[in-house]
Amino acid sequence: MVKQEKEFVNRPDNTAFTQQRLPAWQPMLSAGIIIPGFVLIGLAFIGIGVALFVTSQSIQVLEVDYTGVEQSSPCFKCSDPDVKNCVCKMEFNIDSLFKGPVFFYYGLSNYFQNYRGYGVSKDPNQLSGDLDSFKVPSDSCAPYEYVGKTPIVPCGSVANSMFNDSFKLYQIVSGAKIQVTLDGKGIAWWTDYNVKYRNPSVTPLKNAFNGTVKPTFWSKPAYELDPTDPANNGFINQDFLVWMRRAALPNFRKLYRRITEGDYAKGLPAGNYSLEIAYNYPVLSFDGRKKNEFLGIAYLVIGSMCVVMSIVMLIVYAKFKFPEEE
């Protein structure tokens, strides 16, 4: 009797869920469904691929490599790591109107931001404005955690390796230099600026960094990243946010500025230009406009494979179909 009572106690409730009586639907995949499905998916991918490929072909691209590896390069002197505060100039010519808006990128090659050890080397609490993490950074930031016994803010390899070259673009007209306005507002993701990264609620911001030290590779602390705009400092600095969003591939480009204002709102007119580079970061390249044909080609290849596979399945089905399906 006692045993029977225990069985009743352990028995699940008599409901459709606990007794597994819920209604279920299981699709019966037949050749008549799969083959047309593959054809439709293939055609959709091919259409998207053609659109992406045609769009990428219409994009104007100007690439200037200022790494300074060759002795003939104007930036060769700056490639020496012992040379500090080096400025070099790259001259180039545009044959026709570079239609606006123009996007200004910097590019790095053979740089593995997707390496796991590199990617986790930061303190999310610190980057969200937690003052306790300013005093005691996360162990994941090692070896860029402390300088002596003084905590580094922001800590970690990602922040420490922030890209720090700067650029000025000039148009040469009758021997005179006209500076092209470069707009750095809104170049970072909205979610990074408004959600993921936050400054401490301390005024002035400089006081929040008392008792800390800047990253070893930086020339100035986080609260002085943009002396022209107090709202663009700390962990919500646009250049800092762009760098902290790591690239998935070893060869990448990141948005530096836009050209959308003044006389150049409609683009860069044909003529001679000079790019003035404050060279601080070793082994890099500059790209005036991003162009990527790979995505369009990938869609074309996958779409074509789906169509080919549907044809193969149709042939196999027509030859080996079961008698009851005739």
Side-chain angles (χ1 to χ4, degrees), residues 130-258:
D130 182 6
L131 290 176
D132 292 334
S133 297
F134 279 41
K135 301 175 182 177
V136 184
S138 170
D139 294 339
S140 62
C141 287
Y144 302 104
E145 188 179 0
Y146 294 93
V147 174
K149 294 184 179 180
T150 306
I152 298 174
V153 179
C155 66
S157 298
V158 185
N160 183 69
S161 59
M162 177 181 168
F163 182 84
N164 60 352
D165 280 4
S166 60
F167 308 91
K168 292 181 180 179
L169 182 62
Y170 298 92
Q171 183 183 11
I172 311 300
V173 180
S174 301
K177 295 170 63 176
I178 302 175
Q179 186 168 358
V180 180
T181 302
L182 303 178
D183 181 17
K185 296 180 180 179
I187 60 174
W189 285 34
W190 184 92
T191 51
D192 290 345
Y193 182 80
N194 292 281
V195 180
K196 191 173 182 180
Y197 296 89
R198 308 298 297 171
N199 280 333
S201 301
V202 177
T203 304
L205 181 61
K206 178 180 179 180
N207 291 346
F209 291 82
N210 290 338
T212 69
V213 65
K214 64 179 178 60
T216 55
F217 189 70
W218 289 23
S219 60
K220 48 190 174 183
Y223 53 84
E224 293 180 353
L225 290 177
D226 188 354
T228 64
D229 184 5
N232 189 36
N233 280 309
F235 304 145
I236 57 173
N237 174 267
Q238 292 288 306
D239 292 320
F240 177 73
L241 294 175
V242 169
W243 180 257
M244 293 300 289
R245 181 159 287 276
R246 297 181 296 120
L249 300 175
N251 300 334
F252 60 85
R253 297 166 183 172
K254 291 179 180 284
L255 183 60
Y256 178 73
R257 295 291 184 269
R258 295 189 184 97

Side-chain angles (χ1 to χ4, degrees), residues 281-297:
Y281 207 86
V283 191
L284 48 93
S285 62
F286 153 74
D287 293 280
R289 176 73 174 172
K290 186 175 182 179
K291 179 181 179 182
N292 191 349
E293 297 177 354
F294 171 77
L295 189 58
I297 295 174

Side-chain angles (χ1 to χ4, degrees), residues 47 86 228 268:
C86 188
T228 64
L268 296 176

Side-chain angles (χ1 to χ4, degrees), residues 6-21:
K6 288 184 178 180
E7 289 178 355
F8 278 112
V9 171
N10 296 328
R11 180 181 297 176
D13 295 334
N14 187 25
T15 64
F17 178 77
T18 57
Q19 298 298 333
Q20 300 183 15
R21 296 196 302 266

